[in-house]
Amino acid sequence: MSVPRPDGPGASALEGAAAALCGLVAMAAVAWLALWLLGAGSVGSPVAMAMALAAMAVGGSMSAGSVNTANSTGSSGSMGSILSGLFGGGGGGMSPSMGGAASVMPLGVTLVGSLVLWLAFSRRLRQRQVTARELGARAAGAGAAALLAFLLVATLAHGTITMPASAMSKGLGGGQSAGAGAGGGALGGMFGGGSASSQDTTMSYDVHVGSTVFGALVWVTVVLALGCLVSRRVRVRVPLGGAVDRVRPGWAPSLSAVVRTLLVLAVVPMVLVTFVGVVVGGRVGTAAGGALLLAPNALAVLLTLGVGTPWTAATHPVQSQGGNPLASIMGALGGGQQTTAQQQPRTEHLRSLSAGGWPLWLAALAVTAVILLTCAFVAVRNTAPAHTRPLHRYDGPLARHLGAAERFGLVTAVVLGSAVWLAGASGNLGVSMFGSEMGGTRAELTGSVLWTVLFGLLAGGVAGFLGSLAHTADLYGGMTSPRRILARKSPSAASPHSPAPGTDPGTLEAPLGNR
């Protein structure tokens, strides 16, 4: 059998670029499918919105602003038409304008794109062992292609969406309880909201190019680095230096166990729910579209709630800036104290009794505990005994268990802390005039990264210690299966020169314990 020759730098770079493009295409396809399930075609172009979601999936942020047209500002008797006539509406800079921004990462789109990127990138790496030069050229090609491709996507990800008047009035602090005469509040009345004859509001949106391009480079780097660490079939021989080569075998099994488990927990429900939504349609399809976008976000919130992370969902009314006198006029026109009462800040702590109670927290705790214990057991099983020593100098009887607890705890803290940072979201919607904000609403979903790291370190350490104890008991007290009895009696098992489990030399599979 002939041994495949190494590819040149040009061919390797082209294959890396193709892998990045495949990941982007997968992101756009998943985003379009989710928008189709959500019925977003009725408010705007699904293609432009899919590109915007693909850009947001790597960290881009979106901003929006109102489009003044004859339909949106010409309704008789509306405050918007009066002000537009006074201040040059339809083109003047002093007419009332609505704007907003959203910073949320649809991790469902990110996850699918990451999987496709790595599968395409590692195709040749799974067939034969590659050199450091090939790997570098392949990674450079992927990074360059991602930079250019997402630059184009962010440039083209702009369009218009039509917001119903009812949604606009609620978003700006109005409400149905204020009565039809209130017009959905002062700010909603400025654009004709709250009445049956009011027109829908058209808003334009675009994606910030800088944050998208930078996020694309970070995305490619993180995906390739994690893939090289957790992949079972990749064969890479890269001289990383003595210190890194000594560190990697002890840490890769824990990282592999946690990342693989989270991937399965996120991907399997997404596939099942999407399939059901496509077949059934209707409200089930709408729920499936939301799950396809945000199922990994919900998983991150659930698991981090289990380790004790404080999550907060809050809405805040936006007050007028600089004591603008028009704000009081708008308040007087909008319905008085009834509207003001509806604009009070609201904050919900997800682990409090009002947001779900003890059953929600206990369910999250049970799920997280089972997942962490399983991951810890798998990580200890795939770690060679030579790499289970603790990070500090201790050679007592618990040294192996403490080493497993330290490594698994640190990995858990980093992974869960990153999940909290990625799953957070924020957005705002408001009306501006004369260069200042007249009012609106801001919403956010935040979790404490610092507390997650601390709680994750503690929970991961306990899970790693218990997982190491369970693995030791399984080795010395529970080896009763016929396969293990035969392994004891096998001459190769007793040979002093036979490699320890999970120590296949010469490939990246060695530190992972893969066969």
Side-chain angles (χ1 to χ4, degrees), residues 198-210:
S198 63
Q199 300 292 330
D200 296 338
T201 301
T202 301
M203 298 187 67
S204 64
Y205 63 89
D206 56 13
V207 177
H208 296 175
V209 177

Side-chain angles (χ1 to χ4, degrees), residues 1 13 24 37 45 61 81 150 215 260 294 300 319 338 410 444 450 486:
M1 178 184 295
L24 174 58
L37 290 171
S45 171
S61 56
S81 59
F150 277 95
R260 286 177 179 277
L294 301 175
Q319 304 297 332
Q338 200 168 16
L410 288 174
E444 59 183 2
L450 178 60
L486 292 176

Side-chain angles (χ1 to χ4, degrees), residues 248-335:
R248 186 174 59 176
W251 294 88
S254 297
L255 183 62
S256 176
V258 174
V259 171
R260 286 177 179 277
T261 302
L262 293 181
L263 286 177
V264 172
L265 291 175
V267 171
V268 172
M270 282 175 54
V271 173
L272 294 178
V273 172
T274 302
F275 177 78
V276 174
V278 171
V279 173
V280 177
R283 293 184 178 180
V284 178
T286 302
L292 187 57
L293 292 177
L294 301 175
N297 299 62
L299 177 64
V301 173
L302 178 65
L303 294 181
T304 52
L305 274 176
V307 299
T309 301
W311 279 93
T312 302
T315 58
H316 307 281
V318 177
Q319 304 297 332
S320 61
Q321 298 178 353
N324 196 319
L326 285 178
S328 58
I329 299 177
M330 297 299 119
L333 295 174

Side-chain angles (χ1 to χ4, degrees), residues 67-316:
V67 177
N68 291 325
T69 62
N71 291 333
S72 62
T73 61
S75 56
S76 61
S78 68
M79 193 66 188
S81 59
I82 298 174
L83 292 174
S84 296
L86 289 175
F87 301 109
M94 290 188 177
S95 61
S97 62
M98 186 167 67
S103 178
V104 57
M105 184 175 290
L107 293 181
V109 180
T110 309
L111 180 60
V112 173
S114 302
L115 290 175
V116 173
L117 167 63
W118 173 247
L119 291 176
F121 183 88
S122 63
R123 181 184 65 85
R124 188 62 59 88
L125 277 65
R126 297 193 299 268
Q127 296 174 356
R128 62 176 176 83
Q129 193 171 3
V130 300
T131 62
R133 185 179 181 183
E134 289 180 83
L135 183 63
R138 192 177 293 266
L147 189 151
L148 296 176
F150 277 95
L151 175 63
L152 179 62
V153 166
T155 304
L156 298 178
H158 62 85
T160 59
I161 56 176
T162 303
M163 295 184 61
S166 58
M168 188 200 69
S169 62
K170 292 178 182 179
L172 295 176
Q176 297 176 355
S177 61
L187 296 173
M190 292 171 63
F191 288 90
S195 63
S197 61
S198 63
Q199 300 292 330
D200 296 338
T201 301
T202 301
M203 298 187 67
S204 64
Y205 63 89
D206 56 13
V207 177
H208 296 175
V209 177
S211 60
T212 302
V213 172
F214 177 76
L217 293 177
V218 175
W219 169 65
V220 170
T221 303
V222 172
V223 169
L224 299 186
L226 281 177
C228 287
L229 283 175
V230 306
S231 179
R232 292 183 174 181
R233 300 178 58 188
V234 168
R235 295 178 172 86
V236 182
R237 185 187 295 275
V238 183
L240 297 176
V244 178
D245 287 337
R246 288 193 298 269
V247 169
R248 186 174 59 176
W251 294 88
S254 297
L255 183 62
S256 176
V258 174
V259 171
R260 286 177 179 277
T261 302
L262 293 181
L263 286 177
V264 172
L265 291 175
V267 171
V268 172
M270 282 175 54
V271 173
L272 294 178
V273 172
T274 302
F275 177 78
V276 174
V278 171
V279 173
V280 177
R283 293 184 178 180
V284 178
T286 302
L292 187 57
L293 292 177
L294 301 175
N297 299 62
L299 177 64
V301 173
L302 178 65
L303 294 181
T304 52
L305 274 176
V307 299
T309 301
W311 279 93
T312 302
T315 58
H316 307 281

Side-chain angles (χ1 to χ4, degrees), residues 325-409:
L326 285 178
S328 58
I329 299 177
M330 297 299 119
L333 295 174
Q337 298 178 354
Q338 200 168 16
T339 303
T340 303
Q342 295 173 357
Q343 298 179 3
Q344 297 299 323
R346 294 187 60 185
T347 301
E348 285 288 349
H349 300 284
L350 299 190
R351 61 180 181 179
S352 65
L353 295 178
S354 61
W358 290 105
L360 174 63
W361 184 81
L362 290 177
L365 176 62
V367 171
T368 305
V370 172
I371 292 173
L372 290 181
L373 288 174
T374 304
C375 292
F377 180 83
V378 173
V380 174
R381 185 187 63 183
N382 291 336
T383 304
H387 302 290
T388 57
R389 296 178 180 177
L391 302 179
H392 51 83
R393 298 194 174 204
Y394 174 72
D395 295 328
L398 300 178
R400 180 179 181 181
H401 308 310
L402 290 177
E406 291 171 352
R407 288 175 174 81
F408 191 78

Side-chain angles (χ1 to χ4, degrees), residues 14 253 261 290 333 421 426:
L14 288 177
T261 302
L333 295 174
W421 179 61
S426 63

